Amino acid sequence: MKNFREDFPILNEEVRGQKLIYLDSAATSQRPLKVLEAVMKYDKEENGNPHRGSHTLSLRATEAFESVREKVREFLNARSTKEIIFTKNATEAINLVAYSYALNEVQKGDSIVITIAEHHANLVTWQQIAKKTGAELRFMYVDDQGRLPLEELHKIDETTKIVACTHMSNVLGSIFPVKEIIRKAHEVEAKVLIDGAQAVPHMPVDLQELDCDFYVFSGHKMYSLMGVGVLYGKEEILENMEPFLFGGDMIEYVYEQETSFNELPYKFEAGTQGVEGIVSLGAAIDYIREVTYPVIHEREMELTSYALQKLKALPYIKIVGPPDMEDRGAVVSFVVDGVHPHDVSMILDHYGVGVRAGHHCAQPLLRYLKVFSCSRASFAFYNTKEEIDVFVDKLDEVRRVMGYGSK
Ligand SMILES: Cc1ncc(COP(=O)(O)O)c(C=O)c1O
């Protein structure tokens, strides 16, 4: 199989005199040369302010910008480009739904249902809406393997107005039963937001098949630049929502005391957008299509299964999340007995290995699991088994440096 490392210039970097082994793609993925070149081309040949003028560069910029919207629509199988809104990141997309939809639709006596495994972006935001509206914030809990049991769906009931759930947990690696959640929520006429930040880089998403009301993700976790995210919303819902941010481009007519707003999707895109990020997202989609999801999936599952198997063989490692490959993505969190995750990360860095340490923006989950903090290795299809060998071998070194034998 092709060595995809070659497509990613940064993977030639050395860290502390060692070949870089990047195992933190769940925090942000690296960018292939094709994405970087697309941004360079845009800046060299097309940069202008989209929708702002009729001169050639503004028109080229508009074309570059709007062609990505169509690309995203097709990629996710949304019905219309009116349903694709560019944001700064997944966090901003969730906030947009919270403030423009939920704040107006949720009231005291209602419930908002989320899972305990949500990233703070999809947790703190709903906590705020619950506080502002007096609604109850209700949690669905994972089992001791980090999976969401279907019995937890009974938390969704007639009082529920919003269900917000991650497609794949950034800590546990579990893929949640979003289809069942969406079905159950719609039975009680609740709206569903799926946080796809950890899903879109790894698996095809068909929004018409899923039938969720909102879906969000960030470009930087799927091989594009930082500064671009996407909110998908069903057109009929977005049509009735108030704008989130106000200013240029989101208006139709402005008078001294009144303003009428632009049509979808522009109503939700106030001010100049991060066009380079958006262009890079288009190039990232082209790149994923070239590599293909089946290849990404096969490679990532092979790496994850290999890493899990090797880690489980170490007596001082505890896996946080499903111990097997069922319904799981390319994220493996773990605790090294007796060693703080920050020490794990710092010592591994001496060998060029980058893993994440801490609470992973999921403090309630770690508290629930009674894990103080943990380390996380996350893989992308550009990683290799040899990299995993180095990473796992060096865990013995971590224990030794911290004063333990390897057992
Ligand atoms: C599951 C999940 N949701 C949301 C986010 C927030 O993404 P961003 O910081 O790009 O808005 C992340 C980032 O790690 C995540 O893993």
Side-chain angles (χ1 to χ4, degrees), residues 12 193 223:
N12 293 322
L193 178 146
Y223 325 111

Side-chain angles (χ1 to χ4, degrees), residues 46-276:
E46 295 160 9
N47 180 46
N49 203 326
H51 309 140
R52 294 299 203 288
S54 44
H55 64 77
T56 299
L57 285 187
S58 177
L59 295 173
R60 281 187 194 166
T62 305
E63 165 59 22
F65 179 89
E66 290 302 332
S67 68
V68 177
R69 199 188 305 278
E70 168 56 20
K71 206 170 271 184
V72 174
R73 183 208 65 73
E74 198 193 345
F75 186 59
L76 300 173
N77 193 25
R79 279 179 206 86
S80 154
T81 49
K82 291 182 177 177
E83 301 182 315
I84 305 298
I85 293 155
F86 291 119
T87 61
K88 193 164 74 201
N89 48 35
T91 304
E92 189 181 84
I94 296 168
N95 275 269
L96 193 163
V97 176
Y99 283 89
S100 292
Y101 178 79
L103 205 52
N104 296 314
E105 299 291 331
V106 174
Q107 53 194 18
K108 200 169 165 50
D110 293 340
S111 65
I112 298 169
V113 179
I114 66 175
T115 82
I116 193 67
E118 298 311 312
H119 185 283
H120 293 162
N122 204 27
L123 193 155
V124 181
T125 315
W126 298 113
Q127 224 174 44
Q128 289 302 309
I129 297 300
K131 280 188 200 304
K132 283 180 197 296
T133 57
E136 177 194 355
L137 182 61
R138 212 177 268 171
F139 286 85
M140 299 190 281
Y141 294 94
V142 294
D143 63 19
D144 54 9
Q145 294 204 339
R147 294 200 168 91
L148 191 71
L150 289 178
E151 299 79 71
E152 282 298 288
L153 272 57
H154 80 268
K155 307 269 174 69
I156 302 169
D157 65 17
E158 303 295 332
T159 66
T160 308
K161 290 290 176 296
I162 308 263
V163 180
C165 171
T166 188
H167 202 157
M168 175 182 139
S169 161
N170 62 313
V171 179
L172 305 162
S174 347
I175 296 169
F176 282 172
V178 290
K179 276 192 187 160
E180 287 79 357
I181 290 172
I182 293 164
R183 200 177 311 125
K184 177 75 200 254
H186 285 169
E187 269 170 33
V188 295
E189 293 180 12
K191 299 285 183 273
V192 190
L193 178 146
I194 302 295
D195 173 0
Q198 296 294 344
V200 180
H202 308 289
M203 61 180 94
V205 170
D206 182 328
L207 291 170
Q208 292 191 53
E209 193 196 322
L210 265 186
D211 194 34
C212 55
D213 302 289
F214 303 103
Y215 195 96
V216 307
F217 62 97
S218 283
H220 70 92
K221 293 180 196 287
M222 53 167 289
Y223 325 111
S224 79
L225 300 191
M226 291 186 177
V228 58
V230 170
L231 165 66
Y232 156 83
K234 283 184 179 161
E235 184 178 341
E236 60 275 20
I237 304 174
L238 293 174
E239 204 65 76
N240 292 314
M241 278 162 55
E242 289 180 5
F244 176 45
L245 300 171
F246 298 85
D249 229 25
M250 51 77 65
I251 54 89
E252 181 191 31
Y253 297 112
V254 180
Y255 304 93
E256 283 191 17
Q257 303 295 334
E258 291 298 330
T259 294
S260 59
F261 302 122
N262 207 339
E263 59 184 12
L264 287 175
Y266 313 110
K267 175 170 97 168
F268 292 108
E269 292 176 355
T272 303
Q273 303 297 301
V275 184
E276 279 92 346

